Amino acid sequence: MTEAAELPPAPEQAREVFGDRFEDAVRYAELLAEAGVQRGLIGPREVPRLWERHLLNCAVLSEVVPEGVTVCDVGSGAGLPGIPLALVREDLKITLLEPLLRRTTFLTEVVELLGLDHVTVVRGRAEEVMGKVTPVHVVTARAVAPLDRLATWGVPLLRPYGEMLALKGDTAEEELKAAGVALSKLGAVETSILHVGEGVVDPLSTVVRVEVGESPGGVRFAAKRAKAARTGRTRRRR
């Protein structure tokens, strides 16, 4: 049996980034390295690089998230980027959206253990929760799907004039180019590629920002959203 990889000590940058929540960030890293690996949420090879490649890489997303907004982390998995973002930004109201039970079980345990009162865990697929989850200002995602497919799940969950922030790697520019037509149909009005984490991570974290207009999801989702809203009102009257 292969010996489990050891979690390295937290780098000095982690103390600066997580501040008062540093100890909670350490506990989360330990949970990922132990229960996360045991339950198949992350690979054992990721343990030695948990801090740089995962926790800090996700935490620096906070640099481009507006103050005091609602956030939905689509396909949250083991809580990346949602949990690091929640540790850094207690001003946000964050929903961790994940379809798999074993992952939502882990996420719920983490949220309770770390006392993240501003975080809610919801089990479901993005396309299933429209009308059940209140539209948000910001959708986040990391390593979920290519940008064009991710946008079909994430953009319809946005409020008018909201934005999707997707952590991507070296393929960011290619994906953005390939997704241009799809994004336009989904109501995107502006796209950009941002690099965050100066002095914290090397290489910098790459974020694709997709900003929408007054109709998130475009014409395709307008009727579906209206139907979901009517259904919700009917249920409340009963």
Side-chain angles (χ1 to χ4, degrees):
M1 190 173 178
T2 306
E3 188 177 340
E6 188 175 341
L7 177 68
E12 197 56 41
Q13 295 95 317
R15 291 185 179 275
E16 299 170 16
V17 171
F18 291 104
D20 293 342
R21 284 284 197 170
F22 172 70
E23 294 300 332
D24 289 327
V26 171
R27 187 67 189 116
Y28 176 51
E30 292 170 347
L31 287 167
L32 287 174
E34 296 161 7
V37 172
Q38 291 164 10
R39 300 185 196 183
L41 303 182
I42 67 163
R45 292 183 180 179
E46 297 304 311
V47 173
R49 50 188 185 178
L50 267 178
W51 283 106
E52 288 82 1
R53 186 181 175 90
H54 298 287
L55 273 75
L56 289 173
N57 179 273
C58 291
V60 296
L61 182 62
S62 65
E63 295 178 17
V64 290
V65 177
E67 187 175 347
V69 298
T70 52
V71 178
C72 182
D73 189 31
V74 172
S76 196
L80 301 164
I83 297 289
L85 184 61
L87 289 170
V88 174
R89 296 283 301 277
E90 294 189 41
D91 61 299
L92 305 174
K93 289 190 181 301
I94 300 177
T95 298
L96 306 179
L97 182 61
E98 169 57 46
L100 295 184
L101 178 59
R102 62 188 170 90
R103 292 176 180 169
T104 54
T105 299
F106 175 79
L107 292 173
T108 301
E109 290 170 2
V110 171
V111 166
E112 290 177 356
L113 184 66
L114 303 184
L116 298 174
D117 298 332
H118 57 307
V119 178
T120 303
V121 178
V122 173
R123 185 184 175 199
R125 299 182 183 280
E127 59 268 34
E128 298 169 347
V129 301
M130 187 186 300
K132 300 174 186 175
V133 173
T134 304
V136 296
H137 298 92
V138 177
V139 162
T140 60
R142 177 180 186 255
V144 173
L147 188 62
D148 54 351
R149 202 183 327 155
L150 172 62
T152 65
W153 301 332
V155 168
L157 298 178
L158 290 169
R159 294 170 47 137
Y161 307 104
E163 58 186 325
M164 183 175 75
L165 299 172
L167 279 162
K168 289 289 182 179
D170 297 336
T171 62
E173 287 190 27
E174 295 170 24
E175 287 191 45
L176 186 53
K177 197 175 196 179
V181 174
L183 291 174
S184 181
K185 288 180 179 178
L186 287 166
V189 295
E190 190 168 340
T191 61
S192 53
I193 294 178
L194 313 171
H195 298 283
V196 295
E198 183 73 45
V200 178
V201 290
D202 184 19
L204 298 178
S205 296
T206 301
V207 181
V208 175
R209 172 186 269 160
V210 177
E211 299 173 73
V212 300
E214 62 183 12
S215 300
V219 176
R220 179 181 169 191
F221 289 94
K224 189 173 181 181
R225 187 179 289 105
K227 182 180 178 182
R230 287 196 301 273
T231 302
R233 285 196 295 271
T234 302
R235 284 174 182 161
R236 283 194 292 273
R237 283 198 294 268
R238 286 176 182 171

